[in-house]
Short mmCIF file of all heavy atoms in Angstrom, two decimals:
data_model
loop_
_atom_site.label_atom_id
_atom_site.label_comp_id
_atom_site.label_asym_id
_atom_site.label_seq_id
_atom_site.Cartn_x
_atom_site.Cartn_y
_atom_site.Cartn_z
N LEU A 448 -19.91 25.92 15.51
CA LEU A 448 -21.06 26.64 14.89
C LEU A 448 -20.42 27.76 13.99
O LEU A 448 -21.05 28.17 13.03
CB LEU A 448 -21.96 27.32 15.93
CG LEU A 448 -22.91 26.32 16.63
CD1 LEU A 448 -23.81 27.04 17.66
CD2 LEU A 448 -23.74 25.50 15.63
N THR A 449 -19.27 28.33 14.32
CA THR A 449 -18.69 29.31 13.44
C THR A 449 -18.23 28.67 12.10
O THR A 449 -18.20 29.31 11.10
CB THR A 449 -17.37 29.87 14.09
OG1 THR A 449 -16.36 28.92 14.30
CG2 THR A 449 -17.71 30.59 15.38
N LEU A 450 -17.97 27.32 12.12
CA LEU A 450 -17.71 26.65 10.96
C LEU A 450 -18.88 26.11 10.14
O LEU A 450 -18.77 25.88 8.94
CB LEU A 450 -16.77 25.44 11.31
CG LEU A 450 -15.42 25.81 12.06
CD1 LEU A 450 -14.77 24.42 12.45
CD2 LEU A 450 -14.46 26.63 11.07
N ALA A 451 -19.99 25.88 10.90
CA ALA A 451 -21.23 25.41 10.27
C ALA A 451 -22.39 26.01 10.95
O ALA A 451 -23.10 25.36 11.70
CB ALA A 451 -21.29 23.91 10.36
N PRO A 452 -22.71 27.31 10.65
CA PRO A 452 -23.79 27.96 11.40
C PRO A 452 -25.14 27.71 10.68
O PRO A 452 -25.82 28.58 10.21
CB PRO A 452 -23.43 29.45 11.26
CG PRO A 452 -22.68 29.57 9.91
CD PRO A 452 -21.86 28.24 9.87
N THR A 453 -25.55 26.40 10.65
CA THR A 453 -26.73 26.09 10.05
C THR A 453 -27.94 26.41 10.93
O THR A 453 -27.78 26.35 12.17
CB THR A 453 -26.80 24.52 9.73
OG1 THR A 453 -26.57 23.76 10.89
CG2 THR A 453 -25.78 24.22 8.72
N PRO A 454 -29.16 26.77 10.36
CA PRO A 454 -30.19 27.16 11.12
C PRO A 454 -30.61 26.14 12.27
O PRO A 454 -31.00 26.56 13.43
CB PRO A 454 -31.41 27.41 10.13
CG PRO A 454 -30.58 27.72 8.91
CD PRO A 454 -29.44 26.89 8.85
N ARG A 455 -30.62 24.86 11.90
CA ARG A 455 -30.95 23.88 12.88
C ARG A 455 -30.09 23.90 14.09
O ARG A 455 -30.43 23.88 15.22
CB ARG A 455 -30.94 22.50 12.29
CG ARG A 455 -31.49 21.40 13.06
CD ARG A 455 -31.33 20.05 12.30
NE ARG A 455 -32.07 18.97 12.80
CZ ARG A 455 -31.99 17.68 12.38
NH1 ARG A 455 -31.18 17.43 11.39
NH2 ARG A 455 -32.68 16.72 12.91
N MET A 456 -28.82 23.95 13.85
CA MET A 456 -27.77 23.96 14.96
C MET A 456 -27.89 25.26 15.76
O MET A 456 -27.82 25.21 17.01
CB MET A 456 -26.38 23.80 14.47
CG MET A 456 -26.05 22.44 13.81
SD MET A 456 -26.32 21.07 15.08
CE MET A 456 -26.35 19.66 13.99
N LEU A 457 -28.09 26.33 15.18
CA LEU A 457 -28.23 27.62 15.85
C LEU A 457 -29.41 27.69 16.77
O LEU A 457 -29.41 28.13 17.91
CB LEU A 457 -28.27 28.77 14.97
CG LEU A 457 -26.91 29.06 14.08
CD1 LEU A 457 -27.22 30.11 12.97
CD2 LEU A 457 -25.84 29.47 15.04
N ASP A 458 -30.53 27.08 16.27
CA ASP A 458 -31.77 27.00 17.15
C ASP A 458 -31.51 26.16 18.32
O ASP A 458 -31.92 26.44 19.48
CB ASP A 458 -32.93 26.42 16.28
CG ASP A 458 -34.17 26.22 17.13
OD1 ASP A 458 -34.70 27.34 17.62
OD2 ASP A 458 -34.60 25.12 17.29
N LEU A 459 -30.84 24.95 18.16
CA LEU A 459 -30.55 24.04 19.27
C LEU A 459 -29.64 24.79 20.29
O LEU A 459 -29.79 24.62 21.57
CB LEU A 459 -29.98 22.84 18.83
CG LEU A 459 -30.89 21.84 18.03
CD1 LEU A 459 -30.06 20.76 17.35
CD2 LEU A 459 -31.94 21.24 18.97
N ARG A 460 -28.74 25.56 19.74
CA ARG A 460 -27.82 26.26 20.68
C ARG A 460 -28.53 27.27 21.51
O ARG A 460 -28.24 27.42 22.76
CB ARG A 460 -26.66 26.99 19.80
CG ARG A 460 -25.75 27.91 20.66
CD ARG A 460 -24.94 27.12 21.67
NE ARG A 460 -24.05 28.02 22.39
CZ ARG A 460 -24.35 28.72 23.47
NH1 ARG A 460 -25.63 28.57 24.00
NH2 ARG A 460 -23.53 29.49 24.10
N ARG A 461 -29.39 28.00 20.89
CA ARG A 461 -30.31 28.92 21.62
C ARG A 461 -31.07 28.20 22.79
O ARG A 461 -31.24 28.79 23.94
CB ARG A 461 -31.22 29.75 20.71
CG ARG A 461 -30.44 30.88 19.93
CD ARG A 461 -31.41 31.74 19.15
NE ARG A 461 -32.14 31.01 18.21
CZ ARG A 461 -31.80 30.96 16.90
NH1 ARG A 461 -30.62 31.55 16.50
NH2 ARG A 461 -32.43 30.25 15.97
N ARG A 462 -31.61 27.13 22.48
CA ARG A 462 -32.42 26.35 23.44
C ARG A 462 -31.49 25.88 24.67
O ARG A 462 -32.11 25.54 25.61
CB ARG A 462 -33.06 25.20 22.71
CG ARG A 462 -34.10 25.69 21.69
CD ARG A 462 -34.70 24.49 20.95
NE ARG A 462 -35.33 23.47 21.77
CZ ARG A 462 -35.79 22.28 21.23
NH1 ARG A 462 -35.57 22.05 19.97
NH2 ARG A 462 -36.37 21.49 22.04
N LEU A 463 -30.23 25.84 24.50
CA LEU A 463 -29.36 25.42 25.53
C LEU A 463 -28.81 26.64 26.46
O LEU A 463 -28.14 26.44 27.29
CB LEU A 463 -28.22 24.58 25.07
CG LEU A 463 -28.56 23.20 24.62
CD1 LEU A 463 -27.29 22.47 24.26
CD2 LEU A 463 -29.34 22.40 25.65
N ASP A 464 -29.29 27.86 26.10
CA ASP A 464 -28.84 28.95 26.92
C ASP A 464 -29.12 28.79 28.50
O ASP A 464 -28.30 29.11 29.27
CB ASP A 464 -29.55 30.29 26.45
CG ASP A 464 -28.91 30.83 25.14
OD1 ASP A 464 -27.79 30.32 24.80
OD2 ASP A 464 -29.50 31.71 24.50
N PRO A 465 -30.29 28.37 28.81
CA PRO A 465 -30.55 28.13 30.30
C PRO A 465 -29.56 26.96 30.83
O PRO A 465 -29.16 27.12 31.98
CB PRO A 465 -32.03 27.57 30.31
CG PRO A 465 -32.63 28.11 29.08
CD PRO A 465 -31.53 27.96 28.05
N VAL A 466 -29.19 26.03 30.06
CA VAL A 466 -28.26 25.07 30.53
C VAL A 466 -26.85 25.65 30.72
O VAL A 466 -26.17 25.45 31.74
CB VAL A 466 -28.14 23.88 29.55
CG1 VAL A 466 -27.06 22.92 30.06
CG2 VAL A 466 -29.42 23.19 29.36
N GLN A 467 -26.48 26.52 29.81
CA GLN A 467 -25.23 27.25 29.88
C GLN A 467 -25.15 28.09 31.17
O GLN A 467 -24.19 28.10 32.00
CB GLN A 467 -24.90 28.18 28.71
CG GLN A 467 -23.57 28.80 28.74
CD GLN A 467 -23.35 29.69 27.52
OE1 GLN A 467 -24.22 30.00 26.76
NE2 GLN A 467 -22.07 30.03 27.40
N ALA A 468 -26.33 28.69 31.50
CA ALA A 468 -26.39 29.55 32.66
C ALA A 468 -26.31 28.68 33.98
O ALA A 468 -25.62 29.05 34.96
CB ALA A 468 -27.58 30.38 32.74
N ALA A 469 -26.95 27.56 33.90
CA ALA A 469 -26.95 26.70 35.10
C ALA A 469 -25.57 26.12 35.38
O ALA A 469 -25.08 26.07 36.53
CB ALA A 469 -27.95 25.55 34.85
N LEU A 470 -24.91 25.73 34.25
CA LEU A 470 -23.47 25.12 34.38
C LEU A 470 -22.43 26.19 34.83
O LEU A 470 -21.44 25.74 35.21
CB LEU A 470 -23.14 24.40 33.17
CG LEU A 470 -23.91 23.11 32.91
CD1 LEU A 470 -23.48 22.45 31.64
CD2 LEU A 470 -23.72 22.07 33.99
N ALA A 471 -22.85 27.42 34.64
CA ALA A 471 -21.83 28.47 34.98
C ALA A 471 -21.69 28.58 36.51
O ALA A 471 -20.81 29.15 36.98
CB ALA A 471 -22.21 29.79 34.40
N ARG A 472 -22.75 28.07 37.23
CA ARG A 472 -22.75 28.05 38.67
C ARG A 472 -21.94 26.76 39.18
O ARG A 472 -21.90 25.72 38.48
CB ARG A 472 -24.13 27.97 39.24
CG ARG A 472 -25.03 29.06 38.71
CD ARG A 472 -26.33 29.08 39.46
NE ARG A 472 -27.09 27.74 39.50
CZ ARG A 472 -27.98 27.44 38.62
NH1 ARG A 472 -28.46 28.29 37.73
NH2 ARG A 472 -28.59 26.24 38.75
N ASN A 473 -21.33 26.89 40.30
CA ASN A 473 -20.78 25.74 41.06
C ASN A 473 -19.89 24.87 40.18
O ASN A 473 -20.03 23.69 40.21
CB ASN A 473 -21.93 24.82 41.57
CG ASN A 473 -22.93 25.67 42.41
OD1 ASN A 473 -22.59 26.52 43.27
ND2 ASN A 473 -24.26 25.44 42.22
N ARG A 474 -18.98 25.53 39.48
CA ARG A 474 -18.02 24.79 38.63
C ARG A 474 -17.18 23.96 39.51
O ARG A 474 -16.78 24.22 40.67
CB ARG A 474 -17.14 25.74 37.89
CG ARG A 474 -17.84 26.65 36.90
CD ARG A 474 -16.94 27.49 36.11
NE ARG A 474 -17.59 28.36 35.15
CZ ARG A 474 -17.93 28.10 33.86
NH1 ARG A 474 -17.63 26.94 33.50
NH2 ARG A 474 -18.50 28.98 33.20
N LEU A 475 -16.87 22.75 39.02
CA LEU A 475 -15.97 21.77 39.65
C LEU A 475 -14.42 22.04 39.32
O LEU A 475 -14.19 22.58 38.12
CB LEU A 475 -16.27 20.35 39.37
CG LEU A 475 -17.80 19.93 39.79
CD1 LEU A 475 -18.03 18.49 39.28
CD2 LEU A 475 -17.89 20.20 41.32
N PRO A 476 -13.50 21.59 40.08
CA PRO A 476 -12.09 21.73 39.65
C PRO A 476 -11.81 21.07 38.37
O PRO A 476 -12.37 19.91 38.03
CB PRO A 476 -11.36 21.04 40.84
CG PRO A 476 -12.23 21.18 41.99
CD PRO A 476 -13.64 20.96 41.34
N MET A 477 -10.84 21.62 37.51
CA MET A 477 -10.46 21.08 36.28
C MET A 477 -9.50 19.81 36.52
O MET A 477 -8.79 19.80 37.51
CB MET A 477 -9.72 22.14 35.42
CG MET A 477 -10.52 23.33 35.03
SD MET A 477 -11.91 23.02 33.93
CE MET A 477 -13.28 23.16 35.03
N ALA A 478 -9.65 18.88 35.59
CA ALA A 478 -8.82 17.69 35.69
C ALA A 478 -8.42 17.32 34.26
O ALA A 478 -9.15 17.61 33.33
CB ALA A 478 -9.54 16.58 36.42
N PRO A 479 -7.35 16.53 34.07
CA PRO A 479 -7.06 16.07 32.68
C PRO A 479 -8.18 14.97 32.17
O PRO A 479 -8.60 14.08 32.84
CB PRO A 479 -5.76 15.28 32.89
CG PRO A 479 -5.65 14.89 34.33
CD PRO A 479 -6.38 15.95 35.05
N CYS A 480 -8.78 15.41 31.07
CA CYS A 480 -9.93 14.61 30.50
C CYS A 480 -9.69 14.16 29.12
O CYS A 480 -8.95 14.97 28.30
CB CYS A 480 -11.29 15.46 30.56
SG CYS A 480 -11.83 15.80 32.25
N HIS A 481 -10.22 13.12 28.63
CA HIS A 481 -10.04 12.61 27.31
C HIS A 481 -10.94 13.31 26.33
O HIS A 481 -10.48 13.66 25.13
CB HIS A 481 -10.31 11.12 27.24
CG HIS A 481 -10.15 10.56 25.88
ND1 HIS A 481 -11.11 10.51 24.92
CD2 HIS A 481 -9.07 9.85 25.37
CE1 HIS A 481 -10.55 9.83 23.78
NE2 HIS A 481 -9.45 9.53 24.11
N ILE A 482 -12.16 13.71 26.72
CA ILE A 482 -13.03 14.43 25.93
C ILE A 482 -13.92 13.72 24.92
O ILE A 482 -15.05 13.94 24.54
CB ILE A 482 -12.48 15.87 25.28
CG1 ILE A 482 -11.80 16.70 26.38
CG2 ILE A 482 -13.41 16.55 24.49
CD1 ILE A 482 -12.75 17.08 27.43
N ASP A 483 -13.28 12.62 24.39
CA ASP A 483 -13.96 11.82 23.34
C ASP A 483 -13.85 10.33 23.73
O ASP A 483 -13.42 9.51 22.92
CB ASP A 483 -13.26 12.05 21.98
CG ASP A 483 -14.12 11.38 20.77
OD1 ASP A 483 -15.32 11.19 21.03
OD2 ASP A 483 -13.41 11.07 19.84
N PRO A 484 -14.37 9.95 24.91
CA PRO A 484 -14.17 8.56 25.28
C PRO A 484 -15.42 7.72 24.73
O PRO A 484 -16.16 7.03 25.54
CB PRO A 484 -14.29 8.61 26.76
CG PRO A 484 -15.27 9.78 27.12
CD PRO A 484 -14.97 10.83 25.89
N ASN A 485 -15.50 7.64 23.49
CA ASN A 485 -16.45 6.76 22.92
C ASN A 485 -15.97 5.29 22.93
O ASN A 485 -14.80 5.11 23.07
CB ASN A 485 -16.86 7.15 21.46
CG ASN A 485 -15.74 6.94 20.47
OD1 ASN A 485 -15.54 5.87 20.01
ND2 ASN A 485 -15.08 8.06 20.18
N PRO A 486 -16.80 4.22 22.82
CA PRO A 486 -16.36 2.92 22.92
C PRO A 486 -15.19 2.51 22.05
O PRO A 486 -14.28 1.74 22.50
CB PRO A 486 -17.66 2.10 22.55
CG PRO A 486 -18.76 3.04 23.03
CD PRO A 486 -18.29 4.37 22.63
N ALA A 487 -15.16 2.94 20.81
CA ALA A 487 -14.13 2.60 19.86
C ALA A 487 -12.76 3.02 20.32
O ALA A 487 -11.74 2.61 19.77
CB ALA A 487 -14.40 3.08 18.46
N ASN A 488 -12.69 4.06 21.18
CA ASN A 488 -11.45 4.56 21.63
C ASN A 488 -10.89 3.86 22.84
O ASN A 488 -9.85 4.11 23.32
CB ASN A 488 -11.44 6.03 21.96
CG ASN A 488 -11.47 6.95 20.77
OD1 ASN A 488 -11.09 6.50 19.68
ND2 ASN A 488 -12.05 8.09 20.88
N PHE A 489 -11.66 2.78 23.32
CA PHE A 489 -11.08 1.92 24.37
C PHE A 489 -10.67 0.67 23.68
O PHE A 489 -11.47 0.05 22.92
CB PHE A 489 -12.16 1.68 25.44
CG PHE A 489 -12.49 2.87 26.34
CD1 PHE A 489 -13.39 3.79 25.99
CD2 PHE A 489 -11.79 2.98 27.59
CE1 PHE A 489 -13.65 4.88 26.75
CE2 PHE A 489 -12.08 4.12 28.40
CZ PHE A 489 -13.09 5.03 28.03
N LEU A 490 -9.50 0.19 24.06
CA LEU A 490 -8.96 -1.14 23.51
C LEU A 490 -8.98 -2.16 24.61
O LEU A 490 -8.33 -1.92 25.70
CB LEU A 490 -7.61 -0.94 22.97
CG LEU A 490 -7.45 -0.06 21.74
CD1 LEU A 490 -6.00 -0.09 21.22
CD2 LEU A 490 -8.36 -0.49 20.61
N ARG A 491 -9.49 -3.35 24.39
CA ARG A 491 -9.34 -4.42 25.25
C ARG A 491 -8.08 -5.26 24.77
O ARG A 491 -8.16 -5.89 23.75
CB ARG A 491 -10.54 -5.35 25.24
CG ARG A 491 -10.44 -6.62 26.07
CD ARG A 491 -10.36 -6.38 27.57
NE ARG A 491 -11.70 -6.03 28.08
CZ ARG A 491 -11.74 -5.54 29.29
NH1 ARG A 491 -10.82 -5.32 30.03
NH2 ARG A 491 -13.02 -5.12 29.79
N CYS A 492 -7.04 -5.19 25.52
CA CYS A 492 -5.80 -5.90 25.01
C CYS A 492 -5.87 -7.31 25.23
O CYS A 492 -6.69 -7.88 25.99
CB CYS A 492 -4.60 -5.29 25.81
SG CYS A 492 -4.47 -3.55 25.45
N ALA A 493 -5.00 -8.10 24.54
CA ALA A 493 -5.04 -9.55 24.70
C ALA A 493 -4.82 -10.06 26.06
O ALA A 493 -5.42 -11.13 26.39
CB ALA A 493 -3.97 -10.21 23.70
N ASP A 494 -4.18 -9.33 26.90
CA ASP A 494 -3.83 -9.75 28.27
C ASP A 494 -4.98 -9.29 29.19
O ASP A 494 -4.79 -9.40 30.44
CB ASP A 494 -2.52 -9.30 28.78
CG ASP A 494 -2.36 -7.71 28.76
OD1 ASP A 494 -3.36 -7.06 28.49
OD2 ASP A 494 -1.29 -7.28 29.00
N GLY A 495 -6.07 -8.66 28.64
CA GLY A 495 -7.11 -8.24 29.47
C GLY A 495 -7.13 -6.75 29.85
O GLY A 495 -8.07 -6.19 30.42
N ARG A 496 -5.89 -6.13 29.72
CA ARG A 496 -5.87 -4.63 30.12
C ARG A 496 -6.83 -3.81 29.22
O ARG A 496 -7.13 -4.11 28.05
CB ARG A 496 -4.40 -4.14 29.85
CG ARG A 496 -3.42 -4.71 30.87
CD ARG A 496 -2.05 -4.12 30.38
NE ARG A 496 -1.62 -4.62 29.12
CZ ARG A 496 -1.30 -3.82 28.12
NH1 ARG A 496 -1.27 -2.45 28.33
NH2 ARG A 496 -0.91 -4.37 26.87
N LEU A 497 -7.18 -2.72 29.80
CA LEU A 497 -8.08 -1.75 28.96
C LEU A 497 -7.16 -0.45 28.81
O LEU A 497 -6.56 0.05 29.74
CB LEU A 497 -9.24 -1.46 29.87
CG LEU A 497 -10.42 -0.85 29.07
CD1 LEU A 497 -10.99 -1.73 28.00
CD2 LEU A 497 -11.67 -0.39 30.08
N GLN A 498 -7.15 -0.06 27.56
CA GLN A 498 -6.40 1.18 27.22
C GLN A 498 -7.23 2.10 26.44
O GLN A 498 -8.23 1.69 25.99
CB GLN A 498 -5.07 0.80 26.49
CG GLN A 498 -4.12 0.07 27.26
CD GLN A 498 -2.63 0.14 26.66
OE1 GLN A 498 -2.49 0.10 25.37
NE2 GLN A 498 -1.70 0.29 27.45
N LEU A 499 -6.84 3.38 26.48
CA LEU A 499 -7.63 4.44 25.90
C LEU A 499 -6.70 5.14 24.83
O LEU A 499 -5.51 5.47 25.17
CB LEU A 499 -8.09 5.45 26.87
CG LEU A 499 -9.04 6.53 26.54
CD1 LEU A 499 -10.27 6.15 25.83
CD2 LEU A 499 -9.47 7.31 27.89
N ILE A 500 -7.17 5.34 23.67
CA ILE A 500 -6.39 5.90 22.62
C ILE A 500 -7.07 7.16 22.04
O ILE A 500 -8.12 7.55 22.36
CB ILE A 500 -6.13 4.92 21.39
CG1 ILE A 500 -7.57 4.52 20.78
CG2 ILE A 500 -5.49 3.67 21.98
CD1 ILE A 500 -7.47 3.66 19.54
N ASP A 501 -6.36 7.86 21.14
CA ASP A 501 -6.82 9.03 20.43
C ASP A 501 -6.91 10.23 21.38
O ASP A 501 -7.99 10.46 21.93
CB ASP A 501 -8.14 8.84 19.67
CG ASP A 501 -7.96 7.73 18.57
OD1 ASP A 501 -6.85 7.20 18.43
OD2 ASP A 501 -8.93 7.46 17.94
N TRP A 502 -5.87 11.04 21.46
CA TRP A 502 -5.92 12.12 22.46
C TRP A 502 -5.87 13.57 21.91
O TRP A 502 -5.47 14.47 22.58
CB TRP A 502 -4.58 11.91 23.40
CG TRP A 502 -4.76 10.58 24.11
CD1 TRP A 502 -4.28 9.42 23.79
CD2 TRP A 502 -5.37 10.44 25.38
NE1 TRP A 502 -4.60 8.48 24.68
CE2 TRP A 502 -5.23 9.03 25.68
CE3 TRP A 502 -6.00 11.31 26.27
CZ2 TRP A 502 -5.73 8.53 26.93
CZ3 TRP A 502 -6.49 10.83 27.50
CH2 TRP A 502 -6.36 9.48 27.74
N GLU A 503 -6.40 13.61 20.65
CA GLU A 503 -6.39 15.00 20.10
C GLU A 503 -7.30 15.95 20.71
O GLU A 503 -7.00 17.20 20.63
CB GLU A 503 -6.75 14.84 18.58
CG GLU A 503 -8.17 14.50 18.20
CD GLU A 503 -8.42 13.08 18.09
OE1 GLU A 503 -7.77 12.29 18.73
OE2 GLU A 503 -9.21 12.75 17.25
N PHE A 504 -8.39 15.53 21.36
CA PHE A 504 -9.34 16.52 22.05
C PHE A 504 -8.93 16.72 23.55
O PHE A 504 -9.64 17.59 24.22
CB PHE A 504 -10.70 16.00 21.89
CG PHE A 504 -11.28 16.07 20.51
CD1 PHE A 504 -11.35 14.96 19.74
CD2 PHE A 504 -11.78 17.23 20.06
CE1 PHE A 504 -11.92 15.00 18.50
CE2 PHE A 504 -12.32 17.31 18.84
CZ PHE A 504 -12.44 16.24 17.90
N ALA A 505 -7.97 15.95 24.04
CA ALA A 505 -7.78 15.95 25.50
C ALA A 505 -7.53 17.34 25.97
O ALA A 505 -6.89 18.25 25.34
CB ALA A 505 -6.45 15.12 25.73
N ALA A 506 -8.11 17.63 27.22
CA ALA A 506 -7.99 18.99 27.72
C ALA A 506 -8.25 18.98 29.27
O ALA A 506 -8.72 17.94 29.76
CB ALA A 506 -9.10 19.86 27.08
N MET A 507 -7.98 20.13 29.91
CA MET A 507 -8.30 20.23 31.25
C MET A 507 -9.80 20.73 31.42
O MET A 507 -10.16 21.83 30.92
CB MET A 507 -7.45 21.23 31.96
CG MET A 507 -5.90 20.90 31.83
SD MET A 507 -5.51 19.30 32.53
CE MET A 507 -5.84 19.63 34.33
N GLU A 508 -10.58 19.86 31.91
CA GLU A 508 -12.07 20.09 31.98
C GLU A 508 -12.60 19.53 33.30
O GLU A 508 -11.94 18.77 34.00
CB GLU A 508 -12.79 19.55 30.80
CG GLU A 508 -12.27 20.11 29.43
CD GLU A 508 -12.72 21.63 29.18
OE1 GLU A 508 -13.48 22.14 30.05
OE2 GLU A 508 -12.26 22.13 28.13
N GLU A 509 -13.87 19.71 33.45
CA GLU A 509 -14.51 19.04 34.62
C GLU A 509 -14.57 17.55 34.31
O GLU A 509 -15.02 17.18 33.21
CB GLU A 509 -15.93 19.57 34.91
CG GLU A 509 -15.93 21.02 35.43
CD GLU A 509 -17.40 21.50 35.77
OE1 GLU A 509 -18.16 20.62 36.39
OE2 GLU A 509 -17.69 22.61 35.48
N PRO A 510 -14.28 16.61 35.21
CA PRO A 510 -14.41 15.23 34.92
C PRO A 510 -15.84 14.83 34.44
O PRO A 510 -15.93 13.76 33.80
CB PRO A 510 -14.04 14.61 36.31
CG PRO A 510 -13.15 15.53 37.04
CD PRO A 510 -13.71 16.91 36.63
N LEU A 511 -16.83 15.61 34.85
CA LEU A 511 -18.11 15.24 34.40
C LEU A 511 -18.35 15.13 32.91
O LEU A 511 -19.11 14.30 32.36
CB LEU A 511 -19.09 16.31 34.92
CG LEU A 511 -19.34 16.44 36.39
CD1 LEU A 511 -20.34 17.54 36.70
CD2 LEU A 511 -19.76 15.14 36.99
N TRP A 512 -17.37 15.78 32.20
CA TRP A 512 -17.40 15.75 30.69
C TRP A 512 -17.24 14.25 30.22
O TRP A 512 -18.05 13.66 29.59
CB TRP A 512 -16.31 16.57 30.04
CG TRP A 512 -16.41 16.70 28.61
CD1 TRP A 512 -16.64 15.80 27.71
CD2 TRP A 512 -16.27 18.00 27.88
NE1 TRP A 512 -16.63 16.19 26.31
CE2 TRP A 512 -16.43 17.59 26.44
CE3 TRP A 512 -16.01 19.31 28.19
CZ2 TRP A 512 -16.27 18.57 25.44
CZ3 TRP A 512 -15.96 20.24 27.16
CH2 TRP A 512 -16.01 19.88 25.77
N ASP A 513 -16.13 13.67 30.67
CA ASP A 513 -15.86 12.27 30.33
C ASP A 513 -16.86 11.31 30.92
O ASP A 513 -17.42 10.36 30.20
CB ASP A 513 -14.46 11.73 30.90
CG ASP A 513 -13.29 12.34 30.09
OD1 ASP A 513 -13.59 12.80 28.90
OD2 ASP A 513 -12.19 12.24 30.51
N LEU A 514 -17.34 11.49 32.17
CA LEU A 514 -18.28 10.63 32.79
C LEU A 514 -19.63 10.78 32.02
O LEU A 514 -20.34 9.69 31.81
CB LEU A 514 -18.52 10.99 34.25
CG LEU A 514 -17.21 10.81 35.07
CD1 LEU A 514 -17.53 11.17 36.53
CD2 LEU A 514 -16.68 9.42 35.09
N ALA A 515 -20.10 11.89 31.72
CA ALA A 515 -21.27 12.07 30.96
C ALA A 515 -21.21 11.45 29.55
O ALA A 515 -22.22 10.80 29.04
CB ALA A 515 -21.70 13.50 30.86
N ALA A 516 -20.04 11.57 28.86
CA ALA A 516 -19.86 11.10 27.59
C ALA A 516 -20.05 9.63 27.52
O ALA A 516 -20.72 9.04 26.66
CB ALA A 516 -18.50 11.55 27.00
N VAL A 517 -19.33 8.92 28.48
CA VAL A 517 -19.46 7.40 28.40
C VAL A 517 -20.87 6.95 28.79
O VAL A 517 -21.37 5.88 28.38
CB VAL A 517 -18.44 6.71 29.27
CG1 VAL A 517 -17.01 6.96 28.72
CG2 VAL A 517 -18.54 7.10 30.70
N SER A 518 -21.55 7.83 29.64
CA SER A 518 -22.91 7.43 30.03
C SER A 518 -23.91 7.53 28.89
O SER A 518 -25.00 6.96 29.05
CB SER A 518 -23.30 8.25 31.19
OG SER A 518 -22.47 8.00 32.35
#
Side-chain angles (χ1 to χ4, degrees):
L448 288 179
T449 63
L450 301 172
T453 58
R455 188 183 193 186
M456 292 298 165
L457 291 172
D458 177 63
L459 290 170
R460 173 63 178 89
R461 283 190 292 270
R462 292 171 62 188
L463 286 186
D464 283 347
V466 177
Q467 183 177 16
L470 289 177
R472 309 188 304 262
N473 306 317
R474 296 181 184 273
L475 298 178
M477 299 292 103
C480 293
H481 183 274
I482 302 303
D483 186 28
N485 69 77
N488 282 338
F489 288 87
L490 295 182
R491 174 70 73 191
C492 299
D494 61 4
R496 290 175 299 124
L497 200 60
Q498 294 201 319
L499 185 53
I500 60 172
D501 296 1
W502 296 90
E503 71 267 34
F504 289 100
M507 302 301 294
E508 301 290 351
E509 292 186 42
L511 293 179
W512 189 317
D513 282 347
L514 299 178
V517 295
S518 297

